[in-house]
Coordinates of all heavy atoms in Angstrom, one line a residue:
W1557 N -21.8 5.1 -50.4 CA -22.7 3.9 -50.3 C -23.5 4.0 -49.0 O -24.6 3.5 -49.0 CB -21.9 2.7 -50.3 CG -20.9 2.5 -49.2 CD1 -19.6 3.0 -49.1 CD2 -21.1 1.8 -48.0 NE1 -19.0 2.6 -47.9 CE2 -19.9 1.9 -47.2 CE3 -22.1 1.0 -47.4 CZ2 -19.8 1.3 -45.9 CZ3 -22.0 0.4 -46.2 CH2 -20.8 0.6 -45.4
W1558 N -23.0 4.7 -48.0 CA -23.8 4.6 -46.7 C -25.1 5.4 -46.7 O -26.2 4.9 -46.4 CB -22.9 5.0 -45.5 CG -23.1 4.3 -44.2 CD1 -22.5 3.2 -43.8 CD2 -24.1 4.7 -43.2 NE1 -23.0 2.8 -42.6 CE2 -24.0 3.7 -42.2 CE3 -25.0 5.7 -43.1 CZ2 -24.8 3.7 -41.1 CZ3 -25.9 5.7 -42.0 CH2 -25.7 4.7 -41.0
K1666 N -15.3 -5.9 -33.3 CA -16.5 -6.0 -34.2 C -16.0 -6.5 -35.6 O -15.2 -5.9 -36.2 CB -17.1 -4.6 -34.2 CG -18.2 -4.4 -35.3 CD -18.8 -3.1 -34.9 CE -19.0 -2.2 -36.2 NZ -19.8 -1.0 -35.9
K1668 N -16.5 -7.0 -39.3 CA -17.3 -6.3 -40.4 C -17.6 -7.5 -41.4 O -16.8 -8.2 -41.8 CB -16.5 -5.3 -41.1 CG -16.2 -4.0 -40.2 CD -17.4 -3.2 -39.8 CE -17.8 -2.3 -40.9 NZ -19.0 -1.5 -40.4
V1697 N -20.6 -8.5 -34.3 CA -20.6 -8.5 -35.7 C -21.4 -7.3 -36.3 O -22.4 -6.9 -35.6 CB -21.0 -9.8 -36.3 CG1 -20.1 -10.9 -36.1 CG2 -22.5 -10.1 -35.9
D1698 N -21.0 -6.8 -37.4 CA -21.8 -5.7 -38.1 C -22.0 -6.2 -39.5 O -21.1 -6.3 -40.3 CB -21.0 -4.4 -38.1 CG -21.8 -3.3 -38.7 OD1 -23.0 -3.5 -39.1 OD2 -21.3 -2.1 -38.8
I1699 N -23.3 -6.5 -39.8 CA -23.7 -7.0 -41.1 C -24.0 -5.9 -42.1 O -24.1 -6.2 -43.3 CB -24.8 -8.0 -40.9 CG1 -24.3 -9.2 -40.1 CG2 -25.3 -8.6 -42.2 CD1 -25.3 -9.9 -39.2
N1700 N -24.0 -4.7 -41.6 CA -24.2 -3.5 -42.5 C -25.4 -3.7 -43.4 O -25.3 -3.5 -44.6 CB -23.0 -3.2 -43.2 CG -22.0 -2.2 -42.5 OD1 -20.9 -2.5 -42.3 ND2 -22.5 -1.0 -42.1
Q1701 N -26.5 -4.2 -42.9 CA -27.8 -4.4 -43.6 C -27.7 -5.3 -44.9 O -28.5 -5.1 -45.9 CB -28.5 -3.0 -43.9 CG -27.6 -2.0 -44.6 CD -28.4 -0.7 -44.8 OE1 -29.6 -0.5 -44.7 NE2 -27.7 0.3 -45.3
E1724 N -25.0 -6.2 -35.1 CA -25.3 -4.9 -35.5 C -26.0 -5.0 -36.9 O -25.5 -5.6 -37.9 CB -24.0 -4.1 -35.6 CG -24.2 -2.7 -36.0 CD -23.0 -1.7 -35.8 OE1 -22.2 -2.1 -34.9 OE2 -22.9 -0.7 -36.5
Q1725 N -27.1 -4.3 -37.0 CA -27.8 -4.1 -38.3 C -27.8 -5.2 -39.3 O -27.2 -5.1 -40.4 CB -27.2 -2.8 -39.0 CG -28.2 -2.2 -40.0 CD -29.4 -1.6 -39.3 OE1 -29.4 -0.9 -38.4 NE2 -30.6 -2.0 -39.9
L1747 N -28.0 -4.3 -32.2 CA -27.6 -2.9 -32.2 C -28.2 -2.3 -33.5 O -27.9 -2.9 -34.6 CB -26.1 -2.8 -32.1 CG -25.5 -1.4 -32.2 CD1 -25.9 -0.6 -31.0 CD2 -24.0 -1.5 -32.3
A1748 N -28.9 -1.2 -33.5 CA -29.4 -0.6 -34.7 C -28.4 0.6 -35.1 O -28.1 1.4 -34.3 CB -30.8 0.0 -34.4
D1749 N -28.0 0.5 -36.3 CA -27.2 1.6 -36.9 C -27.9 2.3 -38.0 O -28.5 3.4 -37.8 CB -25.8 1.0 -37.3 CG -24.8 2.1 -37.7 OD1 -25.1 3.3 -37.6 OD2 -23.7 1.8 -38.1
E1750 N -27.9 1.7 -39.2 CA -28.6 2.3 -40.3 C -30.1 2.5 -40.0 O -30.7 3.4 -40.6 CB -28.4 1.4 -41.6 CG -27.0 1.5 -42.2 CD -26.1 0.4 -41.7 OE1 -26.2 0.0 -40.5 OE2 -25.1 0.1 -42.4
A1771 N -26.7 2.9 -32.3 CA -25.4 3.5 -32.6 C -25.7 5.0 -32.9 O -26.5 5.3 -33.8 CB -24.8 2.8 -33.8
K1773 N -24.4 8.6 -34.3 CA -23.3 9.2 -35.1 C -23.8 10.6 -35.6 O -24.9 10.7 -36.1 CB -23.2 8.4 -36.4 CG -22.6 7.0 -36.2 CD -22.5 6.1 -37.5 CE -22.0 4.7 -37.2 NZ -22.0 3.9 -38.4
K1776 N -24.6 10.8 -39.5 CA -25.8 10.3 -40.2 C -27.1 11.1 -39.7 O -28.1 11.0 -40.4 CB -26.0 8.8 -39.9 CG -26.3 8.5 -38.4 CD -26.5 7.0 -38.2 CE -26.8 6.7 -36.7 NZ -26.9 5.2 -36.4
F1798 N -24.4 3.6 -28.3 CA -23.0 3.2 -28.7 C -22.5 4.4 -29.6 O -23.3 4.9 -30.4 CB -23.1 1.9 -29.6 CG -21.8 1.5 -30.3 CD1 -20.7 1.3 -29.5 CD2 -21.7 1.5 -31.7 CE1 -19.5 0.8 -30.2 CE2 -20.6 1.1 -32.3 CZ -19.5 0.7 -31.6
G1800 N -20.9 5.4 -32.4 CA -20.5 4.8 -33.7 C -19.5 5.8 -34.4 O -19.4 6.9 -33.9
C1801 N -19.1 5.4 -35.6 CA -18.2 6.3 -36.3 C -18.2 6.0 -37.8 O -18.7 5.0 -38.2 CB -16.7 6.3 -35.7 SG -15.7 5.0 -36.4
F1802 N -17.6 6.9 -38.5 CA -17.4 6.7 -39.9 C -15.9 6.7 -40.2 O -15.4 7.1 -41.3 CB -18.2 7.7 -40.8 CG -19.6 7.5 -40.8 CD1 -20.5 8.3 -40.1 CD2 -20.2 6.4 -41.4 CE1 -21.9 8.0 -40.1 CE2 -21.5 6.1 -41.4 CZ -22.4 7.0 -40.7
E1827 N -16.6 3.0 -31.3 CA -15.6 2.6 -32.3 C -14.9 3.7 -32.9 O -14.4 3.7 -34.1 CB -16.4 1.8 -33.4 CG -17.4 2.6 -34.1 CD -18.3 1.9 -35.1 OE1 -17.9 0.7 -35.5 OE2 -19.3 2.5 -35.5
Ligands
MN943 MN1 -22.5 -0.1 -38.5

Side-chain angles (χ1 to χ4, degrees):
W1557 64 279
W1558 212 93
K1666 168 166 135 178
K1668 295 294 278 184
V1697 293
D1698 185 0
I1699 296 149
N1700 271 123
Q1701 54 180 351
E1724 182 170 337
Q1725 201 65 50
L1747 177 68
D1749 185 3
E1750 286 91 334
K1773 296 177 179 177
K1776 68 178 179 181
F1798 171 62
C1801 85
F1802 289 108
E1827 60 182 349

